[in-house]
Amino acid sequence: MGGALVRGLSRTGNHSVVAYDVDPDALDAISGHCSETTTDIAVATEPEIVFVAVKPDLVADVVTELDLSPEQTLLSIAAGVPTTALEARTDATVVRLMPNLAAESGTMAAAVAGAEISDDVASLLEDLGVFVEIDEAQMDVATAVNGSGPAFVFYLLNAMKWAGVESGLRPEDATVLAAQTFKGAAETVLRSDESIEDLIDAVCSPKGTTIAGMEVLRDSSVEATIGEAVAAAENRSEELAPDYDDE
């Protein structure tokens, strides 16, 4: 996820990105997208906005080691770790961020929580895609919807692709048709004032092909299964940082 953020910020040309990692191979993988790579943590923590992209069980120790000032903002993408746990370990303003891999292409969906989301932070996140500000109590379900969500969409997209292949489409053609259909449908939802149910009805002409398929979906358990997948991801987010619950 850290690499996706680096690549996404780099593609805009609006940001000077300094990347730090203890693994030289990790730095090599993103060096072409950075103004600078370093193994010196002091250099990496000079910018006004500092991302910490490490696993939840490491983030508290990492943040403790950072020498950040009250003028800086720390953005943590560690699932399940509340801002209060990190605020106790740094002087910086803490913002909790749940992005997704689409940050790399500038089409990220992200949820953010924190006492203060500055204009600079908002502008940076808008260069990566779109974000919504939510109450921190909602971060676990946001983690499931937009953080884990791309994998769920890939799964459904793949199912549509192979349905096309089984009926005679070439795999590469079916991939393009399915992926572009998901992309176009998503853009329609974001740009339209109509509800999703109204958009479905707009595609469904009486006795047509779409309504025939929708009748199968509505009679199936697919909606409940997707709900179970989101709930499982939400529950896992809740389990990731139990030691921080009382901080």
Side-chain angles (χ1 to χ4, degrees):
M1 190 63 243
L5 291 168
V6 168
R7 294 182 182 94
L9 292 171
S10 172
R11 63 180 288 280
T12 69
N14 296 332
H15 307 282
S16 177
V17 180
V18 178
Y20 165 87
D21 202 293
V22 296
D23 182 357
D25 291 338
L27 291 180
D28 287 345
I30 58 172
S31 60
H33 304 279
C34 302
S35 304
E36 181 180 358
T37 61
T38 183
T39 56
D40 184 347
I41 194 65
V43 173
T45 53
E46 290 176 358
E48 293 181 4
I49 299 175
V50 176
F51 284 85
V52 176
V54 298
K55 294 184 180 299
D57 59 338
L58 300 176
V59 67
D61 289 340
V62 169
V63 169
T64 300
E65 294 176 5
L66 305 182
D67 184 17
L68 301 180
S69 73
E71 289 71 39
Q72 292 175 286
T73 299
L74 172 72
L75 273 75
S76 167
I77 69 169
V81 182
T83 55
T84 51
L86 302 183
E87 287 169 344
R89 293 168 167 84
T90 182
D91 292 329
T93 298
V94 176
V95 174
R96 185 172 167 190
L97 170 68
M98 179 46 61
N100 60 30
L101 287 176
E104 185 167 344
S105 61
T107 55
M108 171 189 77
V112 295
E116 180 183 350
I117 312 299
S118 70
D119 290 343
D120 287 342
V121 169
S123 177
L124 182 151
L125 294 178
E126 287 168 353
D127 278 346
L128 293 169
V130 299
F131 72 93
V132 297
E133 292 186 47
I134 63 173
D135 293 334
E136 186 157 15
Q138 300 170 315
M139 282 299 289
D140 291 318
V141 67
T143 297
V145 171
N146 74 280
S148 302
F152 305 155
V153 173
F154 295 152
Y155 183 91
L156 296 171
L157 193 159
N158 198 45
M160 283 187 62
K161 165 197 167 178
W162 284 110
V165 170
E166 288 174 5
S167 291
L169 287 174
R170 295 188 304 167
E172 56 269 32
D173 292 338
T175 297
V176 170
L177 290 174
Q180 185 64 27
T181 297
F182 270 73
K183 179 180 178 181
E187 281 292 336
T188 300
V189 170
L190 291 173
R191 298 185 182 190
S192 177
D193 292 329
E194 297 184 71
S195 70
I196 294 176
E197 283 296 330
D198 286 342
L199 291 173
I200 292 172
D201 290 342
V203 184
C204 293
S205 56
K207 299 182 180 180
T209 60
T210 308
I211 191 63
M214 285 305 304
E215 287 173 354
V216 173
L217 288 174
R218 284 169 171 156
D219 287 342
S220 76
S221 61
V222 64
E223 189 170 344
T225 300
I226 292 171
E228 291 170 6
V230 171
E234 179 184 1
N235 291 339
R236 181 56 181 150
S237 178
E238 292 173 351
E239 293 168 356
L240 282 175
D243 292 342
Y244 298 125
D245 289 344
D246 296 330
E247 296 194 35

